[in-house]
PDB file of all heavy atoms in Angstrom:
ATOM      1  N   LEU A 148       6.725   8.975  13.038  1.00  0.00           N
ATOM      2  CA  LEU A 148       7.155   9.991  13.915  1.00  0.00           C
ATOM      3  C   LEU A 148       7.224  11.327  13.220  1.00  0.00           C
ATOM      4  O   LEU A 148       6.789  12.244  13.728  1.00  0.00           O
ATOM      5  CB  LEU A 148       8.570   9.652  14.368  1.00  0.00           C
ATOM      6  CG  LEU A 148       9.175  10.260  15.661  1.00  0.00           C
ATOM      7  CD1 LEU A 148       8.243   9.917  16.838  1.00  0.00           C
ATOM      8  CD2 LEU A 148      10.587   9.915  15.895  1.00  0.00           C
ATOM      9  N   THR A 149       7.513  11.330  11.914  1.00  0.00           N
ATOM     10  CA  THR A 149       7.557  12.473  11.102  1.00  0.00           C
ATOM     11  C   THR A 149       6.145  12.983  10.830  1.00  0.00           C
ATOM     12  O   THR A 149       5.738  14.149  10.873  1.00  0.00           O
ATOM     13  CB  THR A 149       8.247  12.370   9.895  1.00  0.00           C
ATOM     14  OG1 THR A 149       9.567  11.796  10.118  1.00  0.00           O
ATOM     15  CG2 THR A 149       8.484  13.686   9.068  1.00  0.00           C
ATOM     16  N   ALA A 150       5.300  12.036  10.359  1.00  0.00           N
ATOM     17  CA  ALA A 150       3.968  12.440   9.849  1.00  0.00           C
ATOM     18  C   ALA A 150       3.111  12.915  10.925  1.00  0.00           C
ATOM     19  O   ALA A 150       2.282  13.885  10.778  1.00  0.00           O
ATOM     20  CB  ALA A 150       3.271  11.127   9.214  1.00  0.00           C
ATOM     21  N   GLU A 151       3.263  12.285  12.236  1.00  0.00           N
ATOM     22  CA  GLU A 151       2.455  12.852  13.314  1.00  0.00           C
ATOM     23  C   GLU A 151       2.868  13.985  14.066  1.00  0.00           C
ATOM     24  O   GLU A 151       2.190  14.622  14.845  1.00  0.00           O
ATOM     25  CB  GLU A 151       2.398  11.598  14.363  1.00  0.00           C
ATOM     26  CG  GLU A 151       1.513  10.369  13.757  1.00  0.00           C
ATOM     27  CD  GLU A 151       1.442   9.124  14.657  1.00  0.00           C
ATOM     28  OE1 GLU A 151       2.292   9.147  15.588  1.00  0.00           O
ATOM     29  OE2 GLU A 151       0.513   8.397  14.483  1.00  0.00           O
ATOM     30  N   HIS A 152       4.082  14.523  13.656  1.00  0.00           N
ATOM     31  CA  HIS A 152       4.542  15.740  14.082  1.00  0.00           C
ATOM     32  C   HIS A 152       4.172  16.941  13.180  1.00  0.00           C
ATOM     33  O   HIS A 152       4.087  18.037  13.540  1.00  0.00           O
ATOM     34  CB  HIS A 152       6.069  15.802  14.292  1.00  0.00           C
ATOM     35  CG  HIS A 152       6.606  15.340  15.701  1.00  0.00           C
ATOM     36  ND1 HIS A 152       6.948  14.063  15.913  1.00  0.00           N
ATOM     37  CD2 HIS A 152       6.795  16.083  16.816  1.00  0.00           C
ATOM     38  CE1 HIS A 152       7.332  13.925  17.222  1.00  0.00           C
ATOM     39  NE2 HIS A 152       7.204  15.086  17.800  1.00  0.00           N
ATOM     40  N   ALA A 153       3.981  16.573  11.865  1.00  0.00           N
ATOM     41  CA  ALA A 153       3.901  17.495  10.833  1.00  0.00           C
ATOM     42  C   ALA A 153       2.557  18.267  10.755  1.00  0.00           C
ATOM     43  O   ALA A 153       1.458  17.628  11.174  1.00  0.00           O
ATOM     44  CB  ALA A 153       4.118  16.877   9.382  1.00  0.00           C
ATOM     45  N   PRO A 154       2.478  19.523  10.398  1.00  0.00           N
ATOM     46  CA  PRO A 154       1.103  20.190  10.252  1.00  0.00           C
ATOM     47  C   PRO A 154       0.410  19.564   8.882  1.00  0.00           C
ATOM     48  O   PRO A 154       1.052  19.167   8.058  1.00  0.00           O
ATOM     49  CB  PRO A 154       1.596  21.657   9.994  1.00  0.00           C
ATOM     50  CG  PRO A 154       3.048  21.630   9.364  1.00  0.00           C
ATOM     51  CD  PRO A 154       3.610  20.430  10.131  1.00  0.00           C
ATOM     52  N   ALA A 155      -0.878  19.472   9.127  1.00  0.00           N
ATOM     53  CA  ALA A 155      -1.770  18.837   8.083  1.00  0.00           C
ATOM     54  C   ALA A 155      -1.450  19.357   6.665  1.00  0.00           C
ATOM     55  O   ALA A 155      -1.279  18.589   5.804  1.00  0.00           O
ATOM     56  CB  ALA A 155      -3.128  18.883   8.412  1.00  0.00           C
ATOM     57  N   GLY A 156      -1.312  20.620   6.555  1.00  0.00           N
ATOM     58  CA  GLY A 156      -1.032  21.168   5.145  1.00  0.00           C
ATOM     59  C   GLY A 156       0.209  20.906   4.511  1.00  0.00           C
ATOM     60  O   GLY A 156       0.416  21.074   3.351  1.00  0.00           O
ATOM     61  N   ARG A 157       1.168  20.500   5.344  1.00  0.00           N
ATOM     62  CA  ARG A 157       2.547  20.166   4.793  1.00  0.00           C
ATOM     63  C   ARG A 157       2.894  18.730   5.221  1.00  0.00           C
ATOM     64  O   ARG A 157       4.057  18.471   5.191  1.00  0.00           O
ATOM     65  CB  ARG A 157       3.590  21.231   5.234  1.00  0.00           C
ATOM     66  CG  ARG A 157       3.548  22.508   4.637  1.00  0.00           C
ATOM     67  CD  ARG A 157       3.893  22.467   3.121  1.00  0.00           C
ATOM     68  NE  ARG A 157       3.893  23.665   2.464  1.00  0.00           N
ATOM     69  CZ  ARG A 157       2.819  24.022   1.634  1.00  0.00           C
ATOM     70  NH1 ARG A 157       1.796  23.200   1.506  1.00  0.00           N
ATOM     71  NH2 ARG A 157       2.854  25.108   0.953  1.00  0.00           N
ATOM     72  N   ARG A 158       2.070  17.852   5.445  1.00  0.00           N
ATOM     73  CA  ARG A 158       2.295  16.528   5.790  1.00  0.00           C
ATOM     74  C   ARG A 158       3.061  15.766   4.673  1.00  0.00           C
ATOM     75  O   ARG A 158       4.075  14.993   4.974  1.00  0.00           O
ATOM     76  CB  ARG A 158       1.121  15.812   6.277  1.00  0.00           C
ATOM     77  CG  ARG A 158       1.431  14.415   6.959  1.00  0.00           C
ATOM     78  CD  ARG A 158       0.229  13.747   7.599  1.00  0.00           C
ATOM     79  NE  ARG A 158      -0.403  14.594   8.553  1.00  0.00           N
ATOM     80  CZ  ARG A 158      -1.528  15.047   8.539  1.00  0.00           C
ATOM     81  NH1 ARG A 158      -2.341  14.850   7.499  1.00  0.00           N
ATOM     82  NH2 ARG A 158      -2.125  15.879   9.525  1.00  0.00           N
ATOM     83  N   GLY A 159       2.640  15.891   3.583  1.00  0.00           N
ATOM     84  CA  GLY A 159       3.257  15.162   2.368  1.00  0.00           C
ATOM     85  C   GLY A 159       4.617  15.688   2.295  1.00  0.00           C
ATOM     86  O   GLY A 159       5.553  14.776   2.127  1.00  0.00           O
ATOM     87  N   LEU A 160       4.948  16.970   2.412  1.00  0.00           N
ATOM     88  CA  LEU A 160       6.361  17.540   2.237  1.00  0.00           C
ATOM     89  C   LEU A 160       7.299  16.844   3.383  1.00  0.00           C
ATOM     90  O   LEU A 160       8.324  16.242   3.096  1.00  0.00           O
ATOM     91  CB  LEU A 160       6.426  18.851   2.322  1.00  0.00           C
ATOM     92  CG  LEU A 160       7.860  19.580   2.374  1.00  0.00           C
ATOM     93  CD1 LEU A 160       8.562  19.236   1.045  1.00  0.00           C
ATOM     94  CD2 LEU A 160       7.652  21.110   2.556  1.00  0.00           C
ATOM     95  N   TRP A 161       6.910  17.085   4.644  1.00  0.00           N
ATOM     96  CA  TRP A 161       7.824  16.571   5.731  1.00  0.00           C
ATOM     97  C   TRP A 161       7.839  14.996   5.762  1.00  0.00           C
ATOM     98  O   TRP A 161       8.947  14.527   6.155  1.00  0.00           O
ATOM     99  CB  TRP A 161       7.223  17.156   7.092  1.00  0.00           C
ATOM    100  CG  TRP A 161       7.373  18.606   7.248  1.00  0.00           C
ATOM    101  CD1 TRP A 161       6.395  19.517   7.329  1.00  0.00           C
ATOM    102  CD2 TRP A 161       8.557  19.353   7.280  1.00  0.00           C
ATOM    103  NE1 TRP A 161       6.934  20.741   7.508  1.00  0.00           N
ATOM    104  CE2 TRP A 161       8.210  20.678   7.426  1.00  0.00           C
ATOM    105  CE3 TRP A 161       9.961  18.961   7.239  1.00  0.00           C
ATOM    106  CZ2 TRP A 161       9.274  21.685   7.627  1.00  0.00           C
ATOM    107  CZ3 TRP A 161      10.966  19.936   7.418  1.00  0.00           C
ATOM    108  CH2 TRP A 161      10.508  21.208   7.456  1.00  0.00           C
ATOM    109  N   SER A 162       6.791  14.372   5.448  1.00  0.00           N
ATOM    110  CA  SER A 162       6.798  12.875   5.461  1.00  0.00           C
ATOM    111  C   SER A 162       7.656  12.335   4.269  1.00  0.00           C
ATOM    112  O   SER A 162       8.038  11.116   4.382  1.00  0.00           O
ATOM    113  CB  SER A 162       5.459  12.330   5.371  1.00  0.00           C
ATOM    114  OG  SER A 162       4.707  12.681   6.424  1.00  0.00           O
ATOM    115  N   SER A 163       8.075  13.146   3.270  1.00  0.00           N
ATOM    116  CA  SER A 163       8.903  12.582   2.218  1.00  0.00           C
ATOM    117  C   SER A 163      10.346  12.548   2.607  1.00  0.00           C
ATOM    118  O   SER A 163      11.147  11.951   1.990  1.00  0.00           O
ATOM    119  CB  SER A 163       8.827  13.643   0.987  1.00  0.00           C
ATOM    120  OG  SER A 163       9.475  14.882   1.289  1.00  0.00           O
ATOM    121  N   PHE A 164      10.829  13.208   3.704  1.00  0.00           N
ATOM    122  CA  PHE A 164      12.191  13.133   4.099  1.00  0.00           C
ATOM    123  C   PHE A 164      12.549  11.677   4.344  1.00  0.00           C
ATOM    124  O   PHE A 164      13.605  11.180   3.739  1.00  0.00           O
ATOM    125  CB  PHE A 164      12.457  14.025   5.330  1.00  0.00           C
ATOM    126  CG  PHE A 164      12.659  15.529   4.836  1.00  0.00           C
ATOM    127  CD1 PHE A 164      11.652  16.207   4.506  1.00  0.00           C
ATOM    128  CD2 PHE A 164      13.978  15.923   4.978  1.00  0.00           C
ATOM    129  CE1 PHE A 164      11.833  17.593   4.142  1.00  0.00           C
ATOM    130  CE2 PHE A 164      14.143  17.303   4.626  1.00  0.00           C
ATOM    131  CZ  PHE A 164      13.093  18.167   4.301  1.00  0.00           C
ATOM    132  N   PRO A 165      11.866  10.986   5.265  1.00  0.00           N
ATOM    133  CA  PRO A 165      12.123   9.481   5.450  1.00  0.00           C
ATOM    134  C   PRO A 165      11.828   8.764   4.150  1.00  0.00           C
ATOM    135  O   PRO A 165      12.708   7.704   4.001  1.00  0.00           O
ATOM    136  CB  PRO A 165      11.311   9.026   6.578  1.00  0.00           C
ATOM    137  CG  PRO A 165      10.189  10.045   6.668  1.00  0.00           C
ATOM    138  CD  PRO A 165      10.834  11.314   6.269  1.00  0.00           C
ATOM    139  N   GLN A 166      11.114   9.177   3.336  1.00  0.00           N
ATOM    140  CA  GLN A 166      10.984   8.476   1.919  1.00  0.00           C
ATOM    141  C   GLN A 166      12.170   8.625   1.020  1.00  0.00           C
ATOM    142  O   GLN A 166      12.273   7.819   0.163  1.00  0.00           O
ATOM    143  CB  GLN A 166       9.614   8.921   1.300  1.00  0.00           C
ATOM    144  CG  GLN A 166       8.337   8.425   1.890  1.00  0.00           C
ATOM    145  CD  GLN A 166       8.225   6.910   1.719  1.00  0.00           C
ATOM    146  OE1 GLN A 166       8.616   6.170   2.711  1.00  0.00           O
ATOM    147  NE2 GLN A 166       7.682   6.371   0.651  1.00  0.00           N
ATOM    148  N   ALA A 167      12.835   9.719   1.264  1.00  0.00           N
ATOM    149  CA  ALA A 167      13.957   9.895   0.412  1.00  0.00           C
ATOM    150  C   ALA A 167      15.211   9.164   1.042  1.00  0.00           C
ATOM    151  O   ALA A 167      16.257   8.920   0.342  1.00  0.00           O
ATOM    152  CB  ALA A 167      14.302  11.409   0.457  1.00  0.00           C
ATOM    153  N   GLY A 168      15.083   8.664   2.294  1.00  0.00           N
ATOM    154  CA  GLY A 168      16.187   7.818   2.808  1.00  0.00           C
ATOM    155  C   GLY A 168      16.598   6.659   2.048  1.00  0.00           C
ATOM    156  O   GLY A 168      17.803   6.436   1.971  1.00  0.00           O
ATOM    157  N   PRO A 169      15.643   5.839   1.526  1.00  0.00           N
ATOM    158  CA  PRO A 169      16.109   4.667   0.704  1.00  0.00           C
ATOM    159  C   PRO A 169      17.079   5.136  -0.498  1.00  0.00           C
ATOM    160  O   PRO A 169      17.894   4.387  -0.776  1.00  0.00           O
ATOM    161  CB  PRO A 169      14.692   4.131   0.210  1.00  0.00           C
ATOM    162  CG  PRO A 169      13.779   4.455   1.330  1.00  0.00           C
ATOM    163  CD  PRO A 169      14.184   5.809   1.729  1.00  0.00           C
ATOM    164  N   ALA A 170      16.709   6.219  -1.201  1.00  0.00           N
ATOM    165  CA  ALA A 170      17.562   6.685  -2.257  1.00  0.00           C
ATOM    166  C   ALA A 170      18.925   6.982  -1.685  1.00  0.00           C
ATOM    167  O   ALA A 170      19.919   6.608  -2.411  1.00  0.00           O
ATOM    168  CB  ALA A 170      16.919   7.877  -2.938  1.00  0.00           C
ATOM    169  N   VAL A 171      19.034   7.662  -0.596  1.00  0.00           N
ATOM    170  CA  VAL A 171      20.349   8.030   0.002  1.00  0.00           C
ATOM    171  C   VAL A 171      21.172   6.742   0.411  1.00  0.00           C
ATOM    172  O   VAL A 171      22.401   6.556   0.245  1.00  0.00           O
ATOM    173  CB  VAL A 171      20.194   8.985   1.192  1.00  0.00           C
ATOM    174  CG1 VAL A 171      21.550   9.300   1.709  1.00  0.00           C
ATOM    175  CG2 VAL A 171      19.585  10.238   0.759  1.00  0.00           C
ATOM    176  N   GLY A 172      20.418   5.829   0.980  1.00  0.00           N
ATOM    177  CA  GLY A 172      20.991   4.567   1.432  1.00  0.00           C
ATOM    178  C   GLY A 172      21.500   3.730   0.195  1.00  0.00           C
ATOM    179  O   GLY A 172      22.670   3.228   0.192  1.00  0.00           O
ATOM    180  N   PHE A 173      20.724   3.799  -0.910  1.00  0.00           N
ATOM    181  CA  PHE A 173      21.131   3.076  -2.077  1.00  0.00           C
ATOM    182  C   PHE A 173      22.479   3.600  -2.719  1.00  0.00           C
ATOM    183  O   PHE A 173      23.384   2.957  -3.063  1.00  0.00           O
ATOM    184  CB  PHE A 173      20.023   3.082  -3.092  1.00  0.00           C
ATOM    185  CG  PHE A 173      20.428   2.459  -4.411  1.00  0.00           C
ATOM    186  CD1 PHE A 173      20.283   0.989  -4.538  1.00  0.00           C
ATOM    187  CD2 PHE A 173      20.962   3.139  -5.495  1.00  0.00           C
ATOM    188  CE1 PHE A 173      20.680   0.420  -5.734  1.00  0.00           C
ATOM    189  CE2 PHE A 173      21.319   2.554  -6.707  1.00  0.00           C
ATOM    190  CZ  PHE A 173      21.232   1.184  -6.799  1.00  0.00           C
ATOM    191  N   LEU A 174      22.456   5.037  -2.707  1.00  0.00           N
ATOM    192  CA  LEU A 174      23.643   5.742  -3.255  1.00  0.00           C
ATOM    193  C   LEU A 174      24.843   5.557  -2.326  1.00  0.00           C
ATOM    194  O   LEU A 174      26.028   5.279  -2.910  1.00  0.00           O
ATOM    195  CB  LEU A 174      23.334   7.231  -3.351  1.00  0.00           C
ATOM    196  CG  LEU A 174      22.357   7.600  -4.495  1.00  0.00           C
ATOM    197  CD1 LEU A 174      21.863   9.031  -4.410  1.00  0.00           C
ATOM    198  CD2 LEU A 174      22.891   7.217  -5.955  1.00  0.00           C
ATOM    199  N   LEU A 175      24.671   5.476  -1.037  1.00  0.00           N
ATOM    200  CA  LEU A 175      25.793   5.120  -0.161  1.00  0.00           C
ATOM    201  C   LEU A 175      26.245   3.714  -0.488  1.00  0.00           C
ATOM    202  O   LEU A 175      27.549   3.510  -0.533  1.00  0.00           O
ATOM    203  CB  LEU A 175      25.420   5.410   1.248  1.00  0.00           C
ATOM    204  CG  LEU A 175      25.246   6.770   1.823  1.00  0.00           C
ATOM    205  CD1 LEU A 175      24.683   6.685   3.182  1.00  0.00           C
ATOM    206  CD2 LEU A 175      26.660   7.379   1.808  1.00  0.00           C
ATOM    207  N   ALA A 176      25.386   2.795  -0.450  1.00  0.00           N
ATOM    208  CA  ALA A 176      25.721   1.334  -0.683  1.00  0.00           C
ATOM    209  C   ALA A 176      26.555   1.194  -2.052  1.00  0.00           C
ATOM    210  O   ALA A 176      27.510   0.562  -2.075  1.00  0.00           O
ATOM    211  CB  ALA A 176      24.518   0.398  -0.533  1.00  0.00           C
ATOM    212  N   ASN A 177      25.950   1.723  -2.984  1.00  0.00           N
ATOM    213  CA  ASN A 177      26.602   1.485  -4.375  1.00  0.00           C
ATOM    214  C   ASN A 177      27.694   2.442  -4.598  1.00  0.00           C
ATOM    215  O   ASN A 177      28.590   2.037  -5.435  1.00  0.00           O
ATOM    216  CB  ASN A 177      25.491   1.700  -5.464  1.00  0.00           C
ATOM    217  CG  ASN A 177      24.511   0.445  -5.460  1.00  0.00           C
ATOM    218  OD1 ASN A 177      24.668  -0.424  -6.172  1.00  0.00           O
ATOM    219  ND2 ASN A 177      23.367   0.529  -4.718  1.00  0.00           N
ATOM    220  N   GLY A 178      27.676   3.547  -3.894  1.00  0.00           N
ATOM    221  CA  GLY A 178      28.947   4.323  -4.071  1.00  0.00           C
ATOM    222  C   GLY A 178      30.171   3.569  -3.464  1.00  0.00           C
ATOM    223  O   GLY A 178      31.350   3.620  -4.043  1.00  0.00           O
ATOM    224  N   VAL A 179      30.056   3.015  -2.323  1.00  0.00           N
ATOM    225  CA  VAL A 179      31.146   2.212  -1.719  1.00  0.00           C
ATOM    226  C   VAL A 179      31.489   1.066  -2.663  1.00  0.00           C
ATOM    227  O   VAL A 179      32.670   0.783  -2.935  1.00  0.00           O
ATOM    228  CB  VAL A 179      30.694   1.677  -0.269  1.00  0.00           C
ATOM    229  CG1 VAL A 179      31.742   0.820   0.278  1.00  0.00           C
ATOM    230  CG2 VAL A 179      30.482   2.881   0.677  1.00  0.00           C
TER     231      VAL A 179
END
Side-chain angles (χ1 to χ4, degrees):
L148 201 63
T149 307
E151 291 179 339
H152 272 91
R157 284 291 179 264
R158 189 176 297 120
L160 173 63
W161 289 115
S162 299
S163 72
F164 278 73
Q166 284 297 91
V171 177
F173 178 86
L174 292 170
L175 282 173
N177 284 269
V179 175

